[in-house]
Amino acid sequence: MSLSTEKSLRNKVMYQIFVRNFSEAGTFAEVEKKLDEIKKLGVDIIWLMPIHPIGKKKRKGTLGSPYAISDYRSINPEFGTIEDFESLVNAIHSKGMKCIIDVVYNHTSPDSVLSSEHPEWFYHREDGSFGNRVGDWSDIIDLDYNNHELWDYQIDTLKYWAGYVDGFRCDVAPLIPIEFWKKARQEVAKVREDCLWLSESVEPGFILYMRGRGLTALSDSEIFRAFDISYDYDCYSFFCDCIDGGSLSEYAKAINRQEYIYPDNYVKLRFLENHDVTRASFLIPDERMLKNWTAFMFFQKGMALIYNGQEKGITHLPSLFDKDTIEWQSDNTVDLTLLIRKLSEIKHDSIFTDSVYEVKTTAEDFITAVHTKGNNKAVGVFSVKGKTSSVKVPLDDGFYTDMISGQKIEVFRGMIRNTGEPIIIMK
């Protein structure tokens, strides 16, 4: 684990932006116009999906995936100029937020600058042609980190961008040797000492698949040796099972397991959606259930992620390969803006930074989660199926204030009456 990782990252909120589809124009300048609205959500950190030029060879769709990068050291002209990017970052900083950018170091587009200038830095098939280790990623070719000159180039690139931004979200980081990431962190600290490192960790099944083929696939425990934050994919499949009618208690067990298998200062990125998975509003069409799951996501131990459009209950996941602008105004969505603002306010309480965390379930319908720090507690009750019932809570009898609604809640004989809405009590 990176010993310098601060537990205070656990009560922060991150907002992910896909610049191309964030607005009709799809530019940095249009993002800059919306920063006040994003800030009002309680956001601390903005994550910009890849800002670099996209390759043309073997493109998927009409515009190509932002994760098929042709030049790590340039700006995608669709989005604007380097001056436009700098203006956006400066505006983010002026509003008290930080900015991180995507780093896609496992692969490049087939027609990338590096593929022509340094073909020896790439993985090659037996016939000598470029290739990749994961077959369905047909629009990219893999880099080969057995070449340490590649390490130097990539680290120098990180140091360059660290002059602009506050950190990096590293795409499929587990497929790259941990020693590279450790060295990168050490070197980048010379430019930006407090640089933030977020790893897109991968699902357990994918780790086993890659290892079965003799390829690098880092576990979350290994990732934490170099990164501050890792994805919550070790629990995501349990969440999906719950939505499909599976076991809520198994999901709780998976979350509780994190408390003892990871280092004391582990930080998870908690999410209901991102650019790779189905929108939460599509998965959970019931408004009451969606509000409960959203509240639970914020209540969890770790940093909360909002994917652009999630606050408006957008159900359509924008294409990675085409122009597919978010429909910000729709009569068919649930506006979660006010709820997210309130949850962000609660999230910033210091109890969420350094607590003993435990999740329990009641009759497969309710999640009761508790943060304990000394004599203080944060207790959350989430009716994830939207049901009404009495629920046992670890609180003395008496009256408390629900931090979400502001209403008085009575605890009687160790039970509270839940009306199907999420409840958070601070003691």
Side-chain angles (χ1 to χ4, degrees):
M1 180 68 184
S2 174
L3 297 178
S4 61
T5 297
E6 296 287 343
K7 293 180 180 180
S8 59
L9 291 172
R10 291 173 177 160
N11 73 339
K12 299 294 188 288
V13 177
M14 181 178 288
Y15 190 89
Q16 178 188 358
I17 295 177
F18 186 4
V19 176
R20 174 196 291 163
N21 289 328
F22 185 77
S23 66
E24 191 61 42
T27 61
F28 295 131
E30 290 301 308
V31 173
E32 189 170 335
K33 292 177 183 178
K34 298 293 185 179
L35 291 181
D36 285 334
E37 293 179 27
I38 295 171
K39 176 67 175 179
K40 287 178 182 177
L41 292 173
V43 171
D44 303 286
I45 304 161
I46 289 178
W47 154 24
L48 300 175
M49 288 168 61
I51 61 170
H52 309 298
I54 297 168
K56 296 180 179 179
K57 189 175 180 180
K58 294 189 177 181
R59 269 188 177 181
K60 291 183 178 181
T62 56
L63 296 177
S65 168
Y67 292 91
I69 291 171
S70 63
D71 187 355
Y72 291 125
R73 297 185 176 183
S74 297
I75 291 289
N76 187 340
E78 296 175 46
F79 300 163
T81 64
I82 185 66
E83 289 78 17
D84 295 328
F85 173 68
E86 187 172 15
S87 175
L88 172 58
V89 174
N90 288 340
I92 291 170
H93 288 161
S94 72
K95 297 181 187 301
M97 297 181 287
K98 293 187 175 183
C99 178
I100 68 172
I101 59 172
D102 239 308
V103 170
V104 189
Y105 270 12
N106 178 67
H107 50 260
T108 73
S109 68
D111 54 350
S112 65
V113 170
L114 291 186
S115 69
S116 61
E117 294 183 355
H118 292 283
E120 74 278 10
W121 290 356
F122 286 80
Y123 162 78
H124 294 272
R125 301 187 184 96
E126 290 185 2
D127 64 3
S129 63
F130 291 116
N132 66 74
R133 301 170 181 86
V134 182
D136 64 339
W137 297 350
S138 59
D139 58 341
I140 55 91
I141 55 176
D142 283 0
L143 289 159
D144 182 359
Y145 281 82
N146 288 314
N147 193 315
H148 280 250
E149 289 184 1
L150 171 62
W151 288 34
D152 296 337
Y153 180 92
Q154 300 290 61
I155 290 171
D156 284 346
T157 303
L158 288 170
K159 291 169 77 171
Y160 167 74
W161 289 113
Y164 291 93
V165 299
D166 305 287
F168 305 103
R169 177 267 184 188
C170 301
D171 188 65
V172 289
L175 305 191
I176 297 170
I178 192 64
E179 293 304 322
F180 167 80
W181 293 121
K182 289 170 65 177
K183 183 177 180 181
R185 182 179 183 119
Q186 183 179 36
E187 288 297 313
V188 169
K190 297 175 182 178
V191 177
R192 189 173 293 274
E193 186 176 1
D194 60 347
C195 183
L196 180 68
W197 293 86
L198 164 61
S199 166
E200 181 202 19
S201 49
V202 295
E203 297 90 338
F206 189 68
I207 294 174
L208 295 176
Y209 167 74
M210 294 295 283
R211 288 180 175 178
R213 299 175 60 198
L215 301 171
T216 298
L218 304 172
S219 68
D220 283 27
S221 295
E222 292 171 296
I223 280 293
F224 277 131
R225 292 167 58 194
F227 286 83
D228 299 303
I229 314 165
S230 80
Y231 268 41
D232 200 24
Y233 276 144
D234 53 330
C235 286
Y236 185 73
S237 64
F238 293 95
F239 161 71
C240 291
D241 287 345
C242 291
I243 301 302
D244 290 336
S247 173
L248 194 62
S249 59
E250 289 301 313
Y251 179 44
K253 288 178 184 177
I255 296 170
N256 290 333
R257 193 178 302 126
Q258 294 176 334
E259 280 288 274
Y260 58 81
I261 64 173
Y262 297 135
D264 179 57
N265 62 337
Y266 83 97
V267 183
K268 278 286 180 177
L269 185 69
R270 307 294 185 177
F271 60 87
L272 294 182
E273 61 182 70
N274 59 54
H275 68 279
D276 280 326
V277 301
T278 306
R279 288 279 199 184
S281 289
F282 186 90
L283 275 179
I284 313 167
D286 181 271
E287 180 176 346
R288 183 178 284 181
M289 290 172 60
L290 179 62
K291 288 181 176 179
N292 275 275
W293 278 112
T294 301
F296 178 58
M297 184 267 286
F298 271 83
F299 189 83
Q300 285 227 67
K301 192 176 197 176
M303 185 179 292
L305 176 68
I306 307 165
Y307 182 42
N308 50 196
Q310 182 176 350
E311 67 271 32
K312 294 295 184 180
I314 304 297
T315 58
H316 173 66
L317 184 69
S319 169
L320 280 179
F321 314 117
D322 303 284
K323 182 62 179 172
D324 190 11
T325 307
I326 296 170
E327 294 185 19
W328 291 98
Q329 303 297 328
S330 174
D331 295 332
N332 300 319
T333 60
V334 178
D335 193 338
L336 300 173
T337 302
L338 295 179
L339 175 63
I340 287 176
R341 287 179 183 174
K342 176 56 68 174
L343 293 171
S344 293
E345 181 184 328
I346 297 168
K347 183 74 171 176
H348 287 107
D349 191 283
S350 63
I351 193 170
F352 295 102
T353 65
D354 188 15
S355 64
V356 176
Y357 182 55
E358 185 178 15
V359 178
K360 294 182 178 181
T361 62
T362 303
E364 297 295 327
D365 295 325
F366 291 86
I367 292 175
T368 303
V370 183
H371 291 268
T372 305
K373 184 176 181 181
N375 294 323
N376 298 321
K377 284 183 180 179
V379 179
V381 180
F382 308 97
S383 178
V384 294
K385 295 184 180 178
K387 295 185 177 181
T388 299
S389 181
S390 294
V391 181
K392 186 176 180 60
V393 292
L395 293 168
D396 295 333
D397 285 4
F399 286 91
Y400 300 84
T401 299
D402 172 23
M403 301 299 294
I404 299 176
S405 67
Q407 296 179 349
K408 291 294 182 182
I409 301 290
E410 182 180 11
V411 177
F412 181 66
R413 294 180 178 175
M415 309 281 283
I416 65 170
R417 182 68 177 170
N418 184 285
T419 62
E421 299 292 331
I423 295 171
I424 295 176
I425 294 170
M426 312 286 282
K427 175 181 177 294

